[in-house]
């Protein structure tokens, strides 16, 4: 290449130099600009969850402004109802235990009410003395991944269906299939007997109360871990509980049995709800977690004192990482009864437990349930969850209801989920009759 005057251009100048200058300019982005404009979301929170710093990328995704977020909201406030519950009962406790979590799927709530599926990784930053200072969190938009996973699930289901049809066409496997069905029937009968031994066959009569219960077993050849009970304690008080242990199969059955008998013994020793859960936590942690085999459960434990002639009944509840109870009022509305401070039972040596209290007037009904109900899959492709919001709307539409009416309506709802109901579900309802009734409890297992 030559200059306009005809002299050759010196090597290493001209086009090459200008190209190097362009790359140098591109690489001179400030650290702050790289943080704010990163292709993923960043935020830093104090140990109590308060947001101390957040980048513009995440603000844009959620449609929020910095002034309304920093110092005013916690990370959990940015999540959907289900995401917030998972954060409080699983994500936050595990992060405190491990100091780091990676690739956790959550849903964040946008300013216009939409949902943003994300993958979240969090890391606890410690000081020079090992004290936790803050939590750094990275957020990746998982919208495309969610769509991709749904497509993979659909194709997998189509492939499995085609494979199943081919298998059924093979005549040489017919005899083996019949034998397998016979073996499965025998196993199902044996497991059904064992499953029934893990929950009461019926509820006792409670003067001044109406009770109803329903237990749905998702799979006849797999032991579940949902449990419930209702029994008298000192005076005119009655203890009740409902919960769900981790896992399935024989280990879950063993954990369920230990949990039920521990809670019964604890209630007779000290019927205070928080004391019963504290005792259960100590037993499970010593038996499993301290030995290197973490096993845990969620549980709601309560004491109910029927009001007799006055009709008003006092209920006191404590929760270990379980869903909040629902109360259907005689006035025609429903309300949540959250219990503060509840964490998974058995994970940590000691856990804080708080107690919530309410009064049931004539016509009011209290409902406890396990996550088989709220995690039932709905929609044409079974890729949406029924969720806490759906259950709250259902309860509002059915208020007021007696325990039998409510459990009957919920049983029909469960049947309507079809193959979207793939987890065991326990339902327990306690109510004060609007008029003097029979106290015969309603119990149903399926």
């Amino acid at each position: 290449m030559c200059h306009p005057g005809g002299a050759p251009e010196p090597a290493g100048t001209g086009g090459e130099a200008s190209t190097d200058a362009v790359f140098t300019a591109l690489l001179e982005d400030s650290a702050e600009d790289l943080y704010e404009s990163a292709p993923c979301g960043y935020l830093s929170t104090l140990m109590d969850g308060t947001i101390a710093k957040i980048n513009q990328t995440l603000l844009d995704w959620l449609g929020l402004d910095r002034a309304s977020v920093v110092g005013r909201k916690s990370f959990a406030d940015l999540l959907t109802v289900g995401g917030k519950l998972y954060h409080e009962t699983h994500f936050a406790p595990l992060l405190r235990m491990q100091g780091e979590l990676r690739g956790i799927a959550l849903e964040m709530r946008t300013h216009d009410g939409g949902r943003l599926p994300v993958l979240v990784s969090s890391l606890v930053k410690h000081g020079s003395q090992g004290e936790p200072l803050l939590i750094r969190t990275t957020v990746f938009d998982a919208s495309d991944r969610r769509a991709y996973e749904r497509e993979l699930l659909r194709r997998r289901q189509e492939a499995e269906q085609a494979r199943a049809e081919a298998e059924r066409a093979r005549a040489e496997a017919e005899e083996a299939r019949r034998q397998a069905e016979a073996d499965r029937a025998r196993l199902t009968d044996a497991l059904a007997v064992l499953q029934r031994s893990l929950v009461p066959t019926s509820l006792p009569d409670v003067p001044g109360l109406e009770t109803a219960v329903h237990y749905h077993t998702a799979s006849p050849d797999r032991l579940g871990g949902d449990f419930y009970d209702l029994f008298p304690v000192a005076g005119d008080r009655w203890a009740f509980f409902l919960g769900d242990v981790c896992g399935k199969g024989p280990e879950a059955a063993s954990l369920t049995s230990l949990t039920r008998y521990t809670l019964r013994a604890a209630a007779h020793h000290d019927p205070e709800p928080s004391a019963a859960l504290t005792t259960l936590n100590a037993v499970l942690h010593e038996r499993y977690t301290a030995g290197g085999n973490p096993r845990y459960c969620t549980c709601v434990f309560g004491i109910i004192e029927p009001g007799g002639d006055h009709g008003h009944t006092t209920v006191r509840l404590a929760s270990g990482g379980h869903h909040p109870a629902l109360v259907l009022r005689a006035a025609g509305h429903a309300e949540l009864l959250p219990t503060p401070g509840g964490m998974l039972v058995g994970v940590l040596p000691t856990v804080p437990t708080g107690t919530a209290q309410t009064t049931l007037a004539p016509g009011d009904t209290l409902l406890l349930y396990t996550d088989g109900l709220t995690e039932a899959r709905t929609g044409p492709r079974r890729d949406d969850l029924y969720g806490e919001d759906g259950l709250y709307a259902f309860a509002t539409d059915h208020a007021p209801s007696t325990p039998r009416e409510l459990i009957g309506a919920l049983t029909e709802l469960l049947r309507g989920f079809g193959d979207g109901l793939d987890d065991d579900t326990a339902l327990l309802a306690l109510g004060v009759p609007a008029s003097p009734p029979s106290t015969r409890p309603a119990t149903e297992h399926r």
Side-chain angles (χ1 to χ4, degrees):
M1 181 180 296
C2 296
H3 290 289
E9 181 174 312
T13 63
E16 293 180 359
S18 61
T19 300
D20 291 341
V22 170
F23 279 108
T24 301
L26 289 174
L27 296 175
E28 286 179 350
D29 288 343
S30 68
E32 185 65 19
D33 184 60
L34 289 173
Y35 175 86
E36 293 292 341
S37 304
C40 61
Y42 290 117
L43 73 158
S44 299
T45 67
L46 305 181
M47 294 307 298
D48 66 358
T50 302
I51 296 174
K53 189 175 182 180
I54 185 170
N55 75 341
Q56 190 61 44
T57 298
L58 186 52
L59 290 172
D60 291 343
W61 287 352
L62 302 180
L64 301 174
D65 61 275
R66 196 180 307 274
S68 65
V69 173
V70 175
R72 296 177 177 270
K73 292 182 181 292
S74 68
F75 174 56
D77 292 333
L78 304 182
L79 303 176
T80 61
V81 173
K84 183 180 294 187
L85 181 62
Y86 181 85
H87 180 272
E88 292 175 354
T89 60
H90 295 73
F91 188 100
L94 290 176
L95 181 59
R96 284 194 293 271
M97 289 177 58
Q98 302 176 8
E100 182 179 6
L101 289 176
R102 296 181 177 274
I104 304 300
L106 294 172
E107 285 190 329
M108 304 190 80
R109 186 178 58 213
T110 62
H111 180 67
D112 60 3
R115 297 186 175 196
L116 176 68
V118 295
L119 291 177
V120 174
S121 297
S122 291
L123 174 70
V124 177
K125 179 183 178 182
H126 295 84
S128 58
Q129 303 301 319
E131 72 280 13
L133 298 179
L134 55 83
I135 300 172
R136 290 175 173 168
T137 298
T138 305
V139 180
F140 292 92
D141 184 347
S143 302
D144 291 339
R145 172 173 172 167
R146 177 71 61 85
Y148 175 70
E149 290 174 341
R150 290 173 179 171
E151 179 64 19
L152 285 181
L153 177 61
R154 184 183 67 81
R155 292 183 178 275
R156 178 182 177 183
Q157 291 172 337
E158 291 175 351
E160 289 176 347
Q161 182 179 1
R163 186 161 53 249
E165 292 172 352
E167 288 294 332
R168 286 193 294 269
R170 297 177 182 177
E172 63 272 18
E174 183 63 25
E175 184 60 31
R177 185 189 66 81
R178 290 176 179 174
Q179 183 61 49
E181 287 297 327
D183 293 340
R184 180 181 178 182
R186 288 192 293 270
L187 176 62
T188 298
D189 291 341
L191 291 179
V193 172
L194 180 57
Q195 183 75 67
R196 285 194 295 270
S197 71
L198 298 177
V199 293
T201 55
S202 64
L203 296 180
D205 293 344
V206 182
L209 288 181
E210 180 180 335
T211 64
V213 68
H214 175 76
Y215 192 97
H216 168 82
T217 303
S219 174
D221 55 4
R222 185 177 65 174
L223 286 171
D226 291 8
F227 59 90
Y228 62 86
D229 210 342
L230 173 67
F231 54 94
V233 289
D236 295 330
R237 293 175 296 177
W238 291 74
F240 62 93
F241 57 78
L242 177 141
D244 184 7
V245 305
C246 64
K248 300 291 181 184
E251 287 190 351
S254 175
L255 180 58
T256 299
S257 179
L258 175 62
T259 297
R260 286 192 62 226
Y261 288 112
T262 299
L263 286 175
R264 271 184 163 263
H268 286 292
H269 177 72
D270 183 351
E272 174 64 27
S274 60
L277 289 185
T278 298
T279 299
L280 177 62
N281 184 80
V283 170
L284 296 188
H285 188 271
E286 180 182 359
R287 174 73 177 271
Y288 296 104
T289 305
N293 179 28
R295 308 287 292 175
Y296 54 87
C297 72
T298 67
C299 181
V300 175
F301 185 96
I303 294 293
I304 187 166
E305 300 181 46
D309 295 337
H310 299 289
H312 286 73
T313 295
T314 300
V315 179
R316 302 178 70 243
L317 291 175
S319 173
H322 202 78
H323 302 281
L326 269 171
V327 181
L328 280 68
R329 297 296 184 184
H333 66 278
E335 58 189 50
L336 292 171
L337 185 61
T339 46
M343 294 177 58
L344 292 173
V345 181
V347 174
L348 301 176
T350 59
V351 294
T353 56
T355 302
Q357 180 169 321
T358 191
T359 299
L360 299 182
D364 291 348
T365 296
L366 174 75
L367 173 68
L368 303 179
Y369 53 94
T370 56
D371 59 10
L373 172 57
T374 54
E375 294 182 3
R377 293 177 288 111
T378 62
R381 297 186 179 180
R382 303 299 191 195
D383 50 12
D384 294 321
L385 298 183
Y386 186 62
E388 299 282 350
D389 294 341
L391 177 59
Y392 182 79
F394 181 91
T396 300
D397 291 341
H398 287 77
S401 288
T402 67
R404 292 191 187 94
E405 291 170 346
L406 178 58
I407 293 302
L410 286 170
T411 301
E412 289 302 315
L413 176 67
L414 294 177
R415 293 193 182 104
F417 290 141
D419 60 1
L421 186 63
D422 55 8
D423 195 7
D424 295 344
T425 304
L427 307 171
L428 175 63
L430 310 173
V432 179
S435 58
S438 134
T439 58
R440 181 177 58 84
T443 304
E444 180 183 353
H445 295 76
R446 184 169 69 83

